[in-house]
Amino acid sequence: LNTPCRTCLTRRISKTQTNFTMNKQATFPLRRNSSSLVEKEMAGELMIFDPSTRKSTCLNHSAALVWHNSDGQTSVSELAAIVASKTGTPEDTRVIEFALRKLDEAGLMEKVDLPANEDAGLARRQLFTKLGWAAALLIGMPLVLTVKANARPAVSV
Amino acid sequence: LTGTETEDPPAKVSRRKWQAFQHFCAFGTRFVLRSNRDAVLPTLLNQLPLGSSLISADAACKPHHAYSIVFAPESDFSATINRDGRRIAICSSQADLVNVFSHEVTNQIAKSARDRVVIHCGVVTWHGKAILLPGRSTHGKTTLVTRFLEAGATYYSDEFALLDGDGLVHPYARPLQVRMQKGSLVQTQVPVEQIRGLGGIGKDPASAAMLLACRFREGARWRPVEISRGAAALELTRHCTSANRFPQNAFHATTQAVSHLRAWRGWRGEGKDVVEWALNLLNAEV
């Protein structure tokens, strides 16, 4: 009776194996070379313009920290420690993974190689709720905003 | 010679034999306007948007854009407007021609301005500080600009904010383009001087102090959310008409323009509460 059913056992083993693999894999994200991008800092934010895609991106302080320190030699957990120490937010690799995914979507990363997990598709506020952080810490959550330069009809006839 | 003039088949209009042409320039972009009927040119040149000036053919080394007004040889009034060899519209009356040409040139200047970064945005100033009201057509820019002017603000533009390299806002003080009927796309020109309480019409460049990214919604209460300067710069980029051709200029000008402003976003109902709120805030900061 104490023996778990075949399905449960399979699931448990599978989940354990996945976690083990994730812990064993150290990810060293690498950002894009700055020489091909135009950067401008203002009031704690970093504005980045990519001439090749015509995209303007705005990173808040913690997203900018993640991006600047993604040099291909700093692991995700080290990034989490850096961001936590400079922003005062709890140290959590899920936040860094979230930031890296958003930076990758914005075309600012050379290499990310994050493992697929259930947080992958979460929006910023959803992840914030899931982490159970205090509301005051929302400002410390990485934020990546992007706009593509696109002409629209200026005058209506 | 086998035939008289009337017996000849109708001559095909040669686009190289223009009866009249004129070069003009606006914000660093050079244009040439040409037609196979000389009578129409002065009327069209009168409709050139603000900031345009006529230039001689020598000064224009090579125009960036060419407009051709081609009249069909046998018709009283059937004209085709071409831009850079591509047909834009066929007009059956002079009023149509003038209207379409005027809008087309304004649109083209907004997209291809070289000396200025053009943002689709209403602008007024209060004590010399510019308030930017970016938004698409029908979002209520002109209405809000009018409310600000009634409260004593200085008029800069109801359509375009012209930014220079330092992020300063230059006036584009054309008559207000008002939609008299709700939901209508037809605009009527209203001289700014008719507005009671107008604080003046701007002439000098001004630095931006406030950005209100708001949109009209019936019955909405004005409960703005402050956004960061970076988000404000993206808001300006989103409404930048010349960003497609000169994206790097747009990036520099918009980031410069937002370097000293505060920005809010939200839905608005009638404009008066927004104006009162904004001017109180600016007065408190002054």
Side-chain angles (χ1 to χ4, degrees):
Chain A
L1 286 171
N2 290 332
T3 311
C5 73
R6 191 184 177 87
T7 318
C8 292
L9 184 65
T10 314
R11 277 184 189 162
R12 201 166 292 170
I13 289 168
S14 156
K15 199 172 180 181
T16 316
Q17 278 179 340
T18 314
N19 283 337
F20 179 70
T21 317
M22 277 170 63
N23 292 336
K24 280 264 285 185
Q25 270 184 354
T27 308
F28 296 94
L30 176 63
R31 69 186 169 109
R32 268 184 62 189
N33 190 358
S34 301
S35 60
S36 62
L37 304 168
V38 184
E39 294 175 43
K40 187 168 181 178
E41 277 192 43
M42 50 181 203
E45 292 175 302
L46 181 66
M47 297 293 297
I48 302 171
F49 175 70
D50 183 355
S52 61
T53 59
R54 300 177 175 192
K55 276 184 184 173
S56 294
T57 308
C58 171
L59 312 183
N60 72 351
H61 183 49
S62 40
L65 277 173
V66 173
W67 191 68
H68 267 310
N69 289 291
S70 297
D71 51 6
Q73 295 173 344
T74 311
S75 68
V76 171
S77 51
E78 285 169 333
L79 284 172
I82 292 169
V83 172
S85 66
K86 295 202 174 173
T87 61
T89 52
E91 190 177 326
D92 198 320
T93 52
R94 285 179 294 179
V95 175
I96 306 303
E97 287 175 3
F98 168 80
L100 290 168
R101 283 198 181 90
K102 293 295 171 191
L103 290 168
D104 194 34
E105 281 171 23
L108 298 177
M109 298 302 292
E110 194 75 46
K111 187 188 79 169
V112 177
D113 292 341
L114 289 175
N117 63 22
E118 56 195 6
D119 295 339
L122 289 185
R124 185 168 175 257
R125 277 187 184 271
Q126 286 173 321
L127 179 64
F128 180 75
T129 311
K130 192 176 176 185
L131 292 172
W133 286 7
L137 293 173
L138 179 60
I139 203 163
M141 282 283 288
L143 178 64
V144 181
L145 301 171
T146 302
V147 163
K148 186 169 183 178
N150 187 19
R152 292 178 175 183
V155 185
S156 54
V157 181
Chain B
L1 295 173
T2 54
T4 63
E5 199 170 305
T6 48
E7 288 168 355
D8 279 342
K12 198 174 179 181
V13 176
S14 166
R15 297 186 182 190
R16 293 185 183 178
K17 291 178 183 174
W18 304 108
Q19 281 197 13
F21 65 90
Q22 175 65 54
H23 292 259
F24 63 95
C25 181
F27 306 117
T29 308
R30 296 185 298 271
F31 297 86
V32 60
L33 170 64
R34 54 204 183 184
S35 176
N36 58 346
R37 280 189 196 172
D38 54 0
V40 75
L41 230 60
T43 316
L44 295 179
L45 291 172
N46 276 337
Q47 297 297 319
L48 290 182
L50 223 61
S52 311
S53 55
L54 303 183
I55 53 174
S56 66
D58 297 336
C61 312
K62 189 181 174 189
H64 298 109
H65 299 288
Y67 281 103
S68 316
I69 314 296
V70 183
F71 287 88
E74 289 187 329
S75 70
D76 284 345
F77 202 102
S78 175
T80 308
I81 304 179
N82 300 306
R83 184 190 65 230
D84 303 330
R86 292 181 65 182
R87 185 195 295 168
I88 296 169
I90 300 173
C91 304
S92 54
S93 71
Q94 182 151 342
D96 273 0
L97 177 68
V98 169
N99 198 18
V100 171
F101 176 76
S102 169
H103 281 94
E104 162 58 29
V105 171
T106 307
N107 213 346
Q108 196 58 34
I109 288 172
K111 284 179 184 173
S112 60
R114 282 162 167 75
D115 292 351
R116 297 277 183 267
V117 169
V118 184
I119 315 280
H120 199 197
C121 183
V123 187
V124 294
T125 60
W126 184 253
H127 298 308
K129 296 288 182 188
I131 304 169
L132 306 179
L133 310 164
R136 300 187 70 176
S137 291
T138 71
H139 281 197
K141 291 189 304 295
T142 304
T143 309
L144 201 53
V145 165
T146 310
R147 298 288 168 271
F148 271 108
L149 299 183
E150 286 166 352
T154 303
Y155 180 63
Y156 266 58
S157 176
D158 73 332
E159 186 75 4
F160 297 130
L162 305 173
L163 303 181
D164 62 18
D166 297 325
L168 296 176
V169 189
H170 292 253
Y172 187 81
R174 65 172 197 180
L176 293 167
Q177 305 282 315
V178 181
R179 291 188 174 86
M180 293 300 183
Q181 290 178 339
K182 195 177 173 182
S184 166
L185 289 177
V186 180
Q187 296 174 323
T188 310
Q189 289 196 357
V190 176
V192 187
E193 294 80 2
Q194 284 185 5
I195 293 174
R196 283 184 182 180
L198 175 72
I201 297 176
K203 288 176 183 168
D204 301 320
S207 64
M210 182 180 270
L211 181 144
L212 302 176
C214 52
R215 186 175 170 183
F216 175 76
R217 189 169 64 187
E218 191 86 44
R221 271 183 61 202
W222 175 238
R223 285 180 292 186
V225 178
E226 186 157 12
I227 57 173
S228 69
R229 285 182 183 153
L234 294 186
E235 191 68 38
L236 288 180
T237 307
R238 191 174 286 126
H239 294 102
C240 181
T241 55
S242 55
N244 205 23
R245 293 199 182 171
F246 307 103
Q248 203 146 335
N249 291 357
F251 177 77
H252 285 297
T254 52
T255 48
Q256 283 288 344
V258 300
S259 56
H260 296 104
L261 59 65
R262 292 180 71 188
W264 285 267
R265 181 185 285 148
W267 292 94
R268 69 167 181 85
E270 293 307 315
K272 281 184 181 174
D273 48 350
V274 182
V275 172
E276 199 180 320
W277 173 89
L279 297 186
N280 282 340
L281 202 72
L282 284 177
N283 287 336
E285 285 181 1
V286 170

